[in-house]
């Protein structure tokens, strides 16, 4: 049975849980949108500042990577996009990975669930996906990038909300703990965690890289990486490169650096 949605997200409730300085400087809350990343891009093109957040109760065209869809039922999950400006080129490739670390920490902080990451940006509980992150470049300002980082967190979604084909691979806080979680408290924790990590991205990049490595269950595994328009690569996932790429040691001993692809854990 689908439980009733918890209280609707409102600017007042969100503000009451925000302890951030930049993230959430402007808050845009919606009922239904096509995609919060699309709305955020639109706001940015009309001058929305760094740290603007867009939140919706549901999305009709929630986006994943490579044109895939993000299932976004109403009133139960978090669909959040954050506008980030003046991102140096070397920090850009770390935005999605940093977003994934923030989501994993925020879920763990509220629920104590053991969140892990699958490279590049899947947040997992055991081997099921509880959240995903999609960073998209908005444009350039003064040589630096403007980026929107979108985060979809499955909070109070029950199995009935999930299309049958995704049930074996998707989960939510409700499914894992048997209890609904407070979406606004989770959002507040996520914004604070992301703000701290985002600051560290410029000042303590090695700390972010270390945090990512510690959470990433892909490392050390035999994997297959599927890449659009290219042959699959197979090998051992050895490390994360300084730009966030996955270092894969092929069976011929050669090291490959992969910047975009879908990882399948083989063992
Ligand atoms: C992602 O893509 O994981 C990025 C998802 C980002 C969604 C957020 S929501 C707020 C913001 N606005 C947007 O429009 N998007 C962002 P990818 O790695 O390509 O994973 C997509 C795949 O995950 C799909 O093909 C499904 O297999 C699976 N999937 C779809 N919806 C899911 C859900 N709610 N929970 C778990 N898995 C899901």
């Amino acid at each position: 049975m689908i439980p009733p949605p918890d209280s609707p997200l409102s600017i007042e409730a969100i503000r009451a849980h925000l302890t951030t300085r930049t993230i959430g400087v402007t808050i845009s809350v919606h009922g239904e949108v096509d995609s919060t990343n699309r709305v955020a891009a639109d706001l940015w093109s009309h001058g929305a500042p760094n740290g603007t957040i867009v939140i919706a109760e549901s999305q009709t065209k929630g986006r994943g990577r490579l044109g895939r869809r993000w299932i976004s039922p109403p009133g139960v999950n978090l669909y959040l996009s954050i506008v980030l400006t003046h991102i140096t080129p070397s920090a850009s490739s770390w935005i999605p990975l940093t977003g994934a670390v923030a989501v994993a920490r925020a879920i763990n902080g509220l629920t104590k669930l053991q969140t892990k990451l699958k490279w590049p940006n899947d947040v997992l509980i055991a081997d099921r996906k509880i959240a995903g992150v999609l960073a998209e470049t908005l444009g350039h300002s003064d040589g630096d990038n403007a980026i929107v980082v979108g985060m979809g967190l499955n909070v109070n979604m029950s199995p009935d909300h999930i299309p049958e084909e995704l049930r074996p691979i998707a989960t939510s806080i409700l499914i894992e703990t048997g209890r609904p979680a407070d979406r606004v408290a989770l959002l507040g924790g996520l914004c604070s965690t992301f703000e701290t990590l985002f600051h560290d991205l410029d000042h303590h990049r090695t700390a972010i890289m270390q945090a990512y490595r510690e959470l990433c269950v892909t490392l050390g595994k035999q994997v297959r990486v599927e890449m659009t328009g290219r042959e699959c690569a197979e090998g051992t996932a050895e490390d994360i490169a300084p730009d966030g790429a996955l270092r894969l040691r092929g069976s011929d001993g050669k090291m490959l650096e992969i910047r975009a692809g879908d990882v399948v854990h083989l063992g």
Side-chain angles (χ1 to χ4, degrees), residues 108-156:
N108 173 261
L110 188 75
T111 63
K112 304 293 169 251
L113 288 168
Q114 285 305 308
T115 40
K116 295 287 175 192
L117 303 177
K118 185 173 95 163
W119 187 89
N121 59 3
D122 285 359
V123 183
L124 306 180
I125 306 279
D127 54 0
R128 287 178 190 221
K129 188 157 168 174
I130 196 163
V133 176
L134 173 70
E136 297 176 295
T137 300
L138 297 173
H140 305 279
S141 44
D142 310 330
D144 290 343
N145 287 329
I147 289 178
V148 55
V149 59
M151 303 168 182
L153 284 70
N154 299 335
V155 186
N156 297 323

mmCIF file of all heavy atoms in Angstrom, residues 108-156:
data_model
loop_
_atom_site.group_PDB
_atom_site.id
_atom_site.type_symbol
_atom_site.label_atom_id
_atom_site.label_comp_id
_atom_site.label_asym_id
_atom_site.label_seq_id
_atom_site.Cartn_x
_atom_site.Cartn_y
_atom_site.Cartn_z
ATOM 1 N N ASN A 108 23.165 8.642 5.612
ATOM 2 C CA ASN A 108 23.740 7.924 6.759
ATOM 3 C C ASN A 108 23.560 8.722 8.052
ATOM 4 O O ASN A 108 23.235 8.155 9.103
ATOM 5 C CB ASN A 108 25.226 7.647 6.493
ATOM 6 C CG ASN A 108 25.910 7.065 7.706
ATOM 7 O OD1 ASN A 108 26.568 7.781 8.459
ATOM 8 N ND2 ASN A 108 25.711 5.775 7.927
ATOM 9 N N GLY A 109 23.722 10.050 7.955
ATOM 10 C CA GLY A 109 23.603 10.894 9.159
ATOM 11 C C GLY A 109 22.203 10.846 9.754
ATOM 12 O O GLY A 109 22.032 10.815 10.973
ATOM 13 N N LEU A 110 21.190 10.798 8.892
ATOM 14 C CA LEU A 110 19.805 10.805 9.397
ATOM 15 C C LEU A 110 19.338 9.415 9.818
ATOM 16 O O LEU A 110 18.573 9.269 10.766
ATOM 17 C CB LEU A 110 18.859 11.354 8.323
ATOM 18 C CG LEU A 110 17.416 11.587 8.778
ATOM 19 C CD1 LEU A 110 17.319 12.848 9.643
ATOM 20 C CD2 LEU A 110 16.474 11.718 7.577
ATOM 21 N N THR A 111 19.800 8.387 9.096
ATOM 22 C CA THR A 111 19.182 7.061 9.278
ATOM 23 C C THR A 111 20.123 5.991 9.815
ATOM 24 O O THR A 111 19.669 4.916 10.174
ATOM 25 C CB THR A 111 18.691 6.527 7.916
ATOM 26 O OG1 THR A 111 19.844 6.358 7.068
ATOM 27 C CG2 THR A 111 17.712 7.477 7.253
ATOM 28 N N LYS A 112 21.449 6.286 9.785
ATOM 29 C CA LYS A 112 22.491 5.290 10.117
ATOM 30 C C LYS A 112 22.579 4.157 9.093
ATOM 31 O O LYS A 112 23.302 3.191 9.318
ATOM 32 C CB LYS A 112 22.304 4.689 11.538
ATOM 33 C CG LYS A 112 22.255 5.729 12.644
ATOM 34 C CD LYS A 112 23.592 6.423 12.819
ATOM 35 C CE LYS A 112 23.537 7.642 13.706
ATOM 36 N NZ LYS A 112 23.702 8.902 13.035
ATOM 37 N N LEU A 113 21.851 4.249 7.969
ATOM 38 C CA LEU A 113 21.997 3.232 6.925
ATOM 39 C C LEU A 113 23.412 3.297 6.338
ATOM 40 O O LEU A 113 23.983 4.384 6.194
ATOM 41 C CB LEU A 113 20.975 3.473 5.799
ATOM 42 C CG LEU A 113 19.520 3.150 6.137
ATOM 43 C CD1 LEU A 113 18.581 3.704 5.067
ATOM 44 C CD2 LEU A 113 19.324 1.640 6.286
ATOM 45 N N GLN A 114 23.947 2.137 5.995
ATOM 46 C CA GLN A 114 25.315 2.062 5.441
ATOM 47 C C GLN A 114 25.285 2.365 3.950
ATOM 48 O O GLN A 114 25.070 1.478 3.133
ATOM 49 C CB GLN A 114 25.894 0.665 5.659
ATOM 50 C CG GLN A 114 26.324 0.377 7.086
ATOM 51 C CD GLN A 114 27.316 1.414 7.609
ATOM 52 O OE1 GLN A 114 28.335 1.677 6.958
ATOM 53 N NE2 GLN A 114 27.010 2.020 8.736
ATOM 54 N N THR A 115 25.463 3.625 3.611
ATOM 55 C CA THR A 115 25.443 4.018 2.205
ATOM 56 C C THR A 115 26.828 3.811 1.587
ATOM 57 O O THR A 115 27.852 4.040 2.241
ATOM 58 C CB THR A 115 25.067 5.504 2.078
ATOM 59 O OG1 THR A 115 25.722 6.214 3.123
ATOM 60 C CG2 THR A 115 23.584 5.713 2.189
ATOM 61 N N LYS A 116 26.839 3.389 0.338
ATOM 62 C CA LYS A 116 28.090 3.206 -0.412
ATOM 63 C C LYS A 116 27.918 3.846 -1.780
ATOM 64 O O LYS A 116 26.799 4.170 -2.180
ATOM 65 C CB LYS A 116 28.397 1.716 -0.594
ATOM 66 C CG LYS A 116 28.673 0.986 0.711
ATOM 67 C CD LYS A 116 30.028 1.371 1.269
ATOM 68 C CE LYS A 116 30.278 0.758 2.626
ATOM 69 N NZ LYS A 116 31.432 1.325 3.296
ATOM 70 N N LEU A 117 29.008 3.983 -2.513
ATOM 71 C CA LEU A 117 28.939 4.581 -3.852
ATOM 72 C C LEU A 117 29.410 3.611 -4.910
ATOM 73 O O LEU A 117 30.363 2.862 -4.688
ATOM 74 C CB LEU A 117 29.818 5.843 -3.912
ATOM 75 C CG LEU A 117 29.499 6.930 -2.890
ATOM 76 C CD1 LEU A 117 30.486 8.089 -3.027
ATOM 77 C CD2 LEU A 117 28.067 7.432 -3.078
ATOM 78 N N LYS A 118 28.705 3.639 -6.036
ATOM 79 C CA LYS A 118 29.202 2.942 -7.224
ATOM 80 C C LYS A 118 29.661 4.015 -8.190
ATOM 81 O O LYS A 118 28.887 4.953 -8.455
ATOM 82 C CB LYS A 118 28.093 2.094 -7.850
ATOM 83 C CG LYS A 118 28.598 1.270 -9.017
ATOM 84 C CD LYS A 118 27.540 0.318 -9.503
ATOM 85 C CE LYS A 118 26.801 0.957 -10.648
ATOM 86 N NZ LYS A 118 26.035 0.028 -11.446
ATOM 87 N N TRP A 119 30.902 3.910 -8.691
ATOM 88 C CA TRP A 119 31.415 4.949 -9.587
ATOM 89 C C TRP A 119 30.502 5.091 -10.815
ATOM 90 O O TRP A 119 30.083 4.082 -11.357
ATOM 91 C CB TRP A 119 32.836 4.573 -10.057
ATOM 92 C CG TRP A 119 33.478 5.673 -10.841
ATOM 93 C CD1 TRP A 119 34.231 6.711 -10.350
ATOM 94 C CD2 TRP A 119 33.409 5.845 -12.265
ATOM 95 N NE1 TRP A 119 34.619 7.522 -11.387
ATOM 96 C CE2 TRP A 119 34.131 7.024 -12.571
ATOM 97 C CE3 TRP A 119 32.798 5.147 -13.319
ATOM 98 C CZ2 TRP A 119 34.275 7.502 -13.870
ATOM 99 C CZ3 TRP A 119 32.923 5.633 -14.613
ATOM 100 C CH2 TRP A 119 33.664 6.795 -14.882
ATOM 101 N N PRO A 120 30.177 6.308 -11.256
ATOM 102 C CA PRO A 120 30.645 7.557 -10.658
ATOM 103 C C PRO A 120 29.712 8.128 -9.582
ATOM 104 O O PRO A 120 30.190 8.785 -8.678
ATOM 105 C CB PRO A 120 30.688 8.519 -11.864
ATOM 106 C CG PRO A 120 29.603 8.016 -12.782
ATOM 107 C CD PRO A 120 29.533 6.519 -12.577
ATOM 108 N N ASN A 121 28.401 7.881 -9.691
ATOM 109 C CA ASN A 121 27.513 8.730 -8.879
ATOM 110 C C ASN A 121 26.292 8.013 -8.312
ATOM 111 O O ASN A 121 25.312 8.655 -7.983
ATOM 112 C CB ASN A 121 27.052 9.933 -9.722
ATOM 113 C CG ASN A 121 26.316 9.487 -10.973
ATOM 114 O OD1 ASN A 121 26.114 8.295 -11.170
ATOM 115 N ND2 ASN A 121 25.913 10.411 -11.797
ATOM 116 N N ASP A 122 26.335 6.681 -8.249
ATOM 117 C CA ASP A 122 25.189 5.959 -7.682
ATOM 118 C C ASP A 122 25.378 5.815 -6.186
ATOM 119 O O ASP A 122 26.450 5.386 -5.736
ATOM 120 C CB ASP A 122 25.098 4.533 -8.251
ATOM 121 C CG ASP A 122 24.564 4.505 -9.671
ATOM 122 O OD1 ASP A 122 24.240 5.581 -10.204
ATOM 123 O OD2 ASP A 122 24.478 3.397 -10.223
ATOM 124 N N VAL A 123 24.332 6.125 -5.426
ATOM 125 C CA VAL A 123 24.386 5.905 -3.975
ATOM 126 C C VAL A 123 23.607 4.617 -3.706
ATOM 127 O O VAL A 123 22.441 4.484 -4.111
ATOM 128 C CB VAL A 123 23.784 7.091 -3.200
ATOM 129 C CG1 VAL A 123 23.925 6.870 -1.700
ATOM 130 C CG2 VAL A 123 24.465 8.391 -3.623
ATOM 131 N N LEU A 124 24.270 3.677 -3.054
ATOM 132 C CA LEU A 124 23.706 2.340 -2.878
ATOM 133 C C LEU A 124 23.531 1.998 -1.407
ATOM 134 O O LEU A 124 24.288 2.470 -0.548
ATOM 135 C CB LEU A 124 24.642 1.275 -3.468
ATOM 136 C CG LEU A 124 25.102 1.407 -4.917
ATOM 137 C CD1 LEU A 124 26.030 0.234 -5.261
ATOM 138 C CD2 LEU A 124 23.928 1.432 -5.876
ATOM 139 N N ILE A 125 22.524 1.131 -1.157
ATOM 140 C CA ILE A 125 22.446 0.406 0.104
ATOM 141 C C ILE A 125 22.586 -1.049 -0.322
ATOM 142 O O ILE A 125 21.757 -1.530 -1.111
ATOM 143 C CB ILE A 125 21.083 0.580 0.811
ATOM 144 C CG1 ILE A 125 20.730 2.046 0.998
ATOM 145 C CG2 ILE A 125 21.037 -0.196 2.107
ATOM 146 C CD1 ILE A 125 21.353 2.742 2.162
ATOM 147 N N ALA A 126 23.595 -1.732 0.170
ATOM 148 C CA ALA A 126 23.971 -3.036 -0.378
ATOM 149 C C ALA A 126 24.113 -2.840 -1.894
ATOM 150 O O ALA A 126 24.846 -1.956 -2.315
ATOM 151 C CB ALA A 126 22.984 -4.110 0.002
ATOM 152 N N ASP A 127 23.379 -3.581 -2.738
ATOM 153 C CA ASP A 127 23.580 -3.328 -4.173
ATOM 154 C C ASP A 127 22.358 -2.690 -4.822
ATOM 155 O O ASP A 127 22.160 -2.779 -6.026
ATOM 156 C CB ASP A 127 23.988 -4.627 -4.898
ATOM 157 C CG ASP A 127 22.988 -5.732 -4.622
ATOM 158 O OD1 ASP A 127 22.008 -5.472 -3.878
ATOM 159 O OD2 ASP A 127 23.166 -6.844 -5.151
ATOM 160 N N ARG A 128 21.556 -2.000 -4.014
ATOM 161 C CA ARG A 128 20.389 -1.316 -4.587
ATOM 162 C C ARG A 128 20.561 0.195 -4.544
ATOM 163 O O ARG A 128 21.066 0.738 -3.550
ATOM 164 C CB ARG A 128 19.131 -1.689 -3.813
ATOM 165 C CG ARG A 128 18.709 -3.088 -4.117
ATOM 166 C CD ARG A 128 17.508 -3.427 -3.315
ATOM 167 N NE ARG A 128 17.282 -4.854 -3.451
ATOM 168 C CZ ARG A 128 16.101 -5.415 -3.604
ATOM 169 N NH1 ARG A 128 15.026 -4.675 -3.612
ATOM 170 N NH2 ARG A 128 15.990 -6.700 -3.712
ATOM 171 N N LYS A 129 20.028 0.851 -5.571
ATOM 172 C CA LYS A 129 20.244 2.298 -5.702
ATOM 173 C C LYS A 129 19.206 3.065 -4.887
ATOM 174 O O LYS A 129 18.002 2.892 -5.073
ATOM 175 C CB LYS A 129 20.134 2.649 -7.181
ATOM 176 C CG LYS A 129 20.516 4.042 -7.540
ATOM 177 C CD LYS A 129 20.904 4.092 -9.014
ATOM 178 C CE LYS A 129 21.023 5.508 -9.511
ATOM 179 N NZ LYS A 129 21.529 5.574 -10.877
ATOM 180 N N ILE A 130 19.696 3.920 -3.996
ATOM 181 C CA ILE A 130 18.797 4.739 -3.171
ATOM 182 C C ILE A 130 18.819 6.196 -3.640
ATOM 183 O O ILE A 130 17.907 6.965 -3.329
ATOM 184 C CB ILE A 130 19.166 4.614 -1.679
ATOM 185 C CG1 ILE A 130 18.022 5.131 -0.789
ATOM 186 C CG2 ILE A 130 20.492 5.288 -1.340
ATOM 187 C CD1 ILE A 130 18.086 4.694 0.649
ATOM 188 N N ALA A 131 19.844 6.577 -4.401
ATOM 189 C CA ALA A 131 19.936 7.968 -4.873
ATOM 190 C C ALA A 131 20.862 8.033 -6.078
ATOM 191 O O ALA A 131 21.726 7.172 -6.267
ATOM 192 C CB ALA A 131 20.456 8.876 -3.757
ATOM 193 N N GLY A 132 20.663 9.068 -6.880
ATOM 194 C CA GLY A 132 21.528 9.299 -8.037
ATOM 195 C C GLY A 132 21.799 10.786 -8.184
ATOM 196 O O GLY A 132 21.035 11.623 -7.683
ATOM 197 N N VAL A 133 22.889 11.100 -8.858
ATOM 198 C CA VAL A 133 23.328 12.494 -9.004
ATOM 199 C C VAL A 133 23.593 12.757 -10.488
ATOM 200 O O VAL A 133 24.187 11.920 -11.166
ATOM 201 C CB VAL A 133 24.627 12.728 -8.184
ATOM 202 C CG1 VAL A 133 25.151 14.143 -8.399
ATOM 203 C CG2 VAL A 133 24.385 12.455 -6.701
ATOM 204 N N LEU A 134 23.136 13.894 -10.952
ATOM 205 C CA LEU A 134 23.363 14.274 -12.352
ATOM 206 C C LEU A 134 23.851 15.714 -12.400
ATOM 207 O O LEU A 134 23.095 16.630 -12.061
ATOM 208 C CB LEU A 134 22.053 14.167 -13.149
ATOM 209 C CG LEU A 134 22.112 14.701 -14.582
ATOM 210 C CD1 LEU A 134 22.978 13.796 -15.468
ATOM 211 C CD2 LEU A 134 20.703 14.817 -15.176
ATOM 212 N N ALA A 135 25.113 15.900 -12.797
ATOM 213 C CA ALA A 135 25.644 17.259 -12.933
ATOM 214 C C ALA A 135 25.643 17.638 -14.406
ATOM 215 O O ALA A 135 26.048 16.840 -15.259
ATOM 216 C CB ALA A 135 27.056 17.325 -12.372
ATOM 217 N N GLU A 136 25.155 18.830 -14.704
ATOM 218 C CA GLU A 136 25.116 19.300 -16.085
ATOM 219 C C GLU A 136 25.711 20.701 -16.161
ATOM 220 O O GLU A 136 25.422 21.545 -15.299
ATOM 221 C CB GLU A 136 23.663 19.331 -16.593
ATOM 222 C CG GLU A 136 23.025 17.947 -16.635
ATOM 223 C CD GLU A 136 21.553 17.974 -17.053
ATOM 224 O OE1 GLU A 136 20.723 18.533 -16.304
ATOM 225 O OE2 GLU A 136 21.236 17.451 -18.117
ATOM 226 N N THR A 137 26.527 20.918 -17.190
ATOM 227 C CA THR A 137 27.142 22.238 -17.359
ATOM 228 C C THR A 137 26.110 23.208 -17.913
ATOM 229 O O THR A 137 25.395 22.892 -18.870
ATOM 230 C CB THR A 137 28.345 22.142 -18.310
ATOM 231 O OG1 THR A 137 29.282 21.232 -17.725
ATOM 232 C CG2 THR A 137 29.035 23.485 -18.491
ATOM 233 N N LEU A 138 26.031 24.380 -17.276
ATOM 234 C CA LEU A 138 25.054 25.386 -17.704
ATOM 235 C C LEU A 138 25.674 26.343 -18.717
ATOM 236 O O LEU A 138 25.011 26.826 -19.619
ATOM 237 C CB LEU A 138 24.566 26.183 -16.497
ATOM 238 C CG LEU A 138 23.813 25.392 -15.426
ATOM 239 C CD1 LEU A 138 23.542 26.273 -14.213
ATOM 240 C CD2 LEU A 138 22.503 24.867 -15.999
ATOM 241 N N GLY A 139 26.948 26.646 -18.507
ATOM 242 C CA GLY A 139 27.607 27.608 -19.381
ATOM 243 C C GLY A 139 28.877 28.078 -18.704
ATOM 244 O O GLY A 139 29.313 27.490 -17.707
ATOM 245 N N HIS A 140 29.439 29.121 -19.259
ATOM 246 C CA HIS A 140 30.718 29.595 -18.736
ATOM 247 C C HIS A 140 30.584 31.047 -18.307
ATOM 248 O O HIS A 140 29.900 31.823 -18.947
ATOM 249 C CB HIS A 140 31.804 29.455 -19.798
ATOM 250 C CG HIS A 140 31.905 28.051 -20.307
ATOM 251 N ND1 HIS A 140 32.582 27.074 -19.638
ATOM 252 C CD2 HIS A 140 31.355 27.468 -21.394
ATOM 253 C CE1 HIS A 140 32.457 25.934 -20.295
ATOM 254 N NE2 HIS A 140 31.716 26.151 -21.365
ATOM 255 N N SER A 141 31.246 31.364 -17.192
ATOM 256 C CA SER A 141 31.269 32.756 -16.766
ATOM 257 C C SER A 141 32.706 33.082 -16.372
ATOM 258 O O SER A 141 33.285 32.390 -15.549
ATOM 259 C CB SER A 141 30.333 32.964 -15.571
ATOM 260 O OG SER A 141 30.492 31.921 -14.628
ATOM 261 N N ASP A 142 33.291 34.057 -16.983
ATOM 262 C CA ASP A 142 34.681 34.457 -16.696
ATOM 263 C C ASP A 142 35.650 33.282 -16.790
ATOM 264 O O ASP A 142 36.539 33.135 -15.958
ATOM 265 C CB ASP A 142 34.803 35.077 -15.296
ATOM 266 C CG ASP A 142 33.773 36.165 -15.060
ATOM 267 O OD1 ASP A 142 33.395 36.799 -16.059
ATOM 268 O OD2 ASP A 142 33.361 36.352 -13.905
ATOM 269 N N GLY A 143 35.434 32.385 -17.768
ATOM 270 C CA GLY A 143 36.370 31.267 -17.934
ATOM 271 C C GLY A 143 36.058 30.089 -17.030
ATOM 272 O O GLY A 143 36.547 28.987 -17.247
ATOM 273 N N ASP A 144 35.251 30.286 -15.998
ATOM 274 C CA ASP A 144 34.891 29.176 -15.120
ATOM 275 C C ASP A 144 33.518 28.639 -15.530
ATOM 276 O O ASP A 144 32.769 29.286 -16.245
ATOM 277 C CB ASP A 144 34.849 29.639 -13.665
ATOM 278 C CG ASP A 144 36.238 29.935 -13.133
ATOM 279 O OD1 ASP A 144 37.211 29.483 -13.770
ATOM 280 O OD2 ASP A 144 36.340 30.611 -12.103
ATOM 281 N N ASN A 145 33.214 27.450 -14.999
ATOM 282 C CA ASN A 145 31.940 26.831 -15.371
ATOM 283 C C ASN A 145 30.820 27.185 -14.406
ATOM 284 O O ASN A 145 31.053 27.359 -13.211
ATOM 285 C CB ASN A 145 32.069 25.305 -15.344
ATOM 286 C CG ASN A 145 32.874 24.782 -16.503
ATOM 287 O OD1 ASN A 145 32.862 25.382 -17.575
ATOM 288 N ND2 ASN A 145 33.574 23.691 -16.293
ATOM 289 N N ALA A 146 29.598 27.227 -14.933
ATOM 290 C CA ALA A 146 28.408 27.186 -14.080
ATOM 291 C C ALA A 146 27.812 25.797 -14.286
ATOM 292 O O ALA A 146 27.715 25.303 -15.408
ATOM 293 C CB ALA A 146 27.422 28.264 -14.484
ATOM 294 N N ILE A 147 27.444 25.176 -13.187
ATOM 295 C CA ILE A 147 26.996 23.775 -13.221
ATOM 296 C C ILE A 147 25.734 23.661 -12.396
ATOM 297 O O ILE A 147 25.591 24.335 -11.366
ATOM 298 C CB ILE A 147 28.104 22.868 -12.625
ATOM 299 C CG1 ILE A 147 29.287 22.793 -13.608
ATOM 300 C CG2 ILE A 147 27.599 21.465 -12.288
ATOM 301 C CD1 ILE A 147 30.456 21.980 -13.120
ATOM 302 N N VAL A 148 24.806 22.786 -12.841
ATOM 303 C CA VAL A 148 23.699 22.434 -11.952
ATOM 304 C C VAL A 148 23.933 20.995 -11.520
ATOM 305 O O VAL A 148 24.209 20.127 -12.342
ATOM 306 C CB VAL A 148 22.312 22.626 -12.626
ATOM 307 C CG1 VAL A 148 22.182 21.862 -13.925
ATOM 308 C CG2 VAL A 148 21.210 22.201 -11.673
ATOM 309 N N VAL A 149 23.873 20.788 -10.207
ATOM 310 C CA VAL A 149 23.997 19.425 -9.704
ATOM 311 C C VAL A 149 22.631 18.991 -9.179
ATOM 312 O O VAL A 149 22.047 19.636 -8.307
ATOM 313 C CB VAL A 149 25.140 19.277 -8.669
ATOM 314 C CG1 VAL A 149 24.974 20.150 -7.469
ATOM 315 C CG2 VAL A 149 25.293 17.809 -8.234
ATOM 316 N N GLY A 150 22.105 17.940 -9.813
ATOM 317 C CA GLY A 150 20.781 17.432 -9.449
ATOM 318 C C GLY A 150 20.921 16.166 -8.632
ATOM 319 O O GLY A 150 21.773 15.314 -8.917
ATOM 320 N N MET A 151 20.097 16.063 -7.605
ATOM 321 C CA MET A 151 20.165 14.893 -6.725
ATOM 322 C C MET A 151 18.761 14.341 -6.536
ATOM 323 O O MET A 151 17.836 15.074 -6.189
ATOM 324 C CB MET A 151 20.727 15.303 -5.361
ATOM 325 C CG MET A 151 22.100 15.953 -5.455
ATOM 326 S SD MET A 151 22.550 16.711 -3.893
ATOM 327 C CE MET A 151 24.141 17.414 -4.317
ATOM 328 N N GLY A 152 18.619 13.059 -6.768
ATOM 329 C CA GLY A 152 17.343 12.394 -6.532
ATOM 330 C C GLY A 152 17.524 11.396 -5.407
ATOM 331 O O GLY A 152 18.368 10.495 -5.507
ATOM 332 N N LEU A 153 16.790 11.568 -4.316
ATOM 333 C CA LEU A 153 16.928 10.681 -3.150
ATOM 334 C C LEU A 153 15.593 9.979 -2.909
ATOM 335 O O LEU A 153 14.551 10.643 -2.777
ATOM 336 C CB LEU A 153 17.265 11.477 -1.874
ATOM 337 C CG LEU A 153 18.694 12.000 -1.687
ATOM 338 C CD1 LEU A 153 18.983 13.125 -2.665
ATOM 339 C CD2 LEU A 153 18.896 12.501 -0.267
ATOM 340 N N ASN A 154 15.628 8.658 -2.861
ATOM 341 C CA ASN A 154 14.412 7.886 -2.583
ATOM 342 C C ASN A 154 14.218 7.841 -1.073
ATOM 343 O O ASN A 154 14.956 7.178 -0.365
ATOM 344 C CB ASN A 154 14.531 6.472 -3.141
ATOM 345 C CG ASN A 154 14.711 6.471 -4.648
ATOM 346 O OD1 ASN A 154 14.297 7.411 -5.324
ATOM 347 N ND2 ASN A 154 15.328 5.445 -5.165
ATOM 348 N N VAL A 155 13.208 8.564 -0.615
ATOM 349 C CA VAL A 155 13.027 8.705 0.835
ATOM 350 C C VAL A 155 11.883 7.807 1.304
ATOM 351 O O VAL A 155 12.108 6.763 1.918
ATOM 352 C CB VAL A 155 12.767 10.188 1.211
ATOM 353 C CG1 VAL A 155 12.735 10.352 2.734
ATOM 354 C CG2 VAL A 155 13.825 11.097 0.609
ATOM 355 N N ASN A 156 10.656 8.198 0.993
ATOM 356 C CA ASN A 156 9.494 7.448 1.496
ATOM 357 C C ASN A 156 8.758 6.713 0.377
ATOM 358 O O ASN A 156 7.558 6.447 0.465
ATOM 359 C CB ASN A 156 8.551 8.389 2.247
ATOM 360 C CG ASN A 156 9.239 8.971 3.471
ATOM 361 O OD1 ASN A 156 10.019 8.270 4.135
ATOM 362 N ND2 ASN A 156 9.003 10.238 3.771
#
